Amino acid sequence: MEQEEIVLCGSSAYTKKFYLNPLFNGLPEGIKEDLNILCVLYTEDIGGTLQLIFDKEGNLNFRAECEDGDFFYDEIGSVLKIKQMQREKTELFESLEMYYRVFFLGEEFTEDKED
């Protein structure tokens, strides 16, 4: 794939909707549910929109935005909430990055072992 970024999923406090890119329908149901819960809870707590996006190297990034004039959006809370999610869900996000690199970028699967 020649795209710069691919959206994994996202949620909006404005539309009250969750989006999962159909390219990722092959993910296990439990992971799709976890992503739904993470994104929706974020937008309910913080406001605005949240997208989880893979960059061209396969890194998973968070993009949080709000509409102009949205005085209810918590910009400081957004940074803290994203850091909390990254800390608490490290294994999930690392697994998603590996999935993307193997199935979308064609990289070979290597299992890191610490001895």
Side-chain angles (χ1 to χ4, degrees), residues 17 30 96:
K17 292 185 180 179
L96 287 166

Side-chain angles (χ1 to χ4, degrees), residues 46-108:
I46 305 300
T49 62
L50 176 69
Q51 293 180 321
L52 277 61
I53 301 171
F54 289 105
D55 64 20
K56 63 183 178 181
E57 287 85 30
N59 300 308
L60 187 60
N61 299 300
F62 293 73
R63 181 178 295 154
E65 298 175 325
C66 69
E67 294 179 352
D68 289 338
D70 182 352
F71 300 110
F72 295 106
Y73 180 73
D74 183 357
E75 194 168 334
I76 295 170
S78 172
V79 173
L80 296 174
K81 186 78 166 175
I82 289 171
K83 285 183 180 185
Q84 176 189 8
M85 289 189 303
Q86 289 172 323
R87 187 177 58 250
E88 292 177 358
K89 299 293 185 178
T90 301
E91 189 174 322
L92 171 65
F93 298 137
E94 287 175 353
S95 297
L96 287 166
E97 287 178 343
M98 179 59 71
Y99 176 89
Y100 184 80
R101 287 182 175 129
V102 169
F103 290 101
F104 288 83
L105 299 180
E107 293 182 11
E108 193 170 315

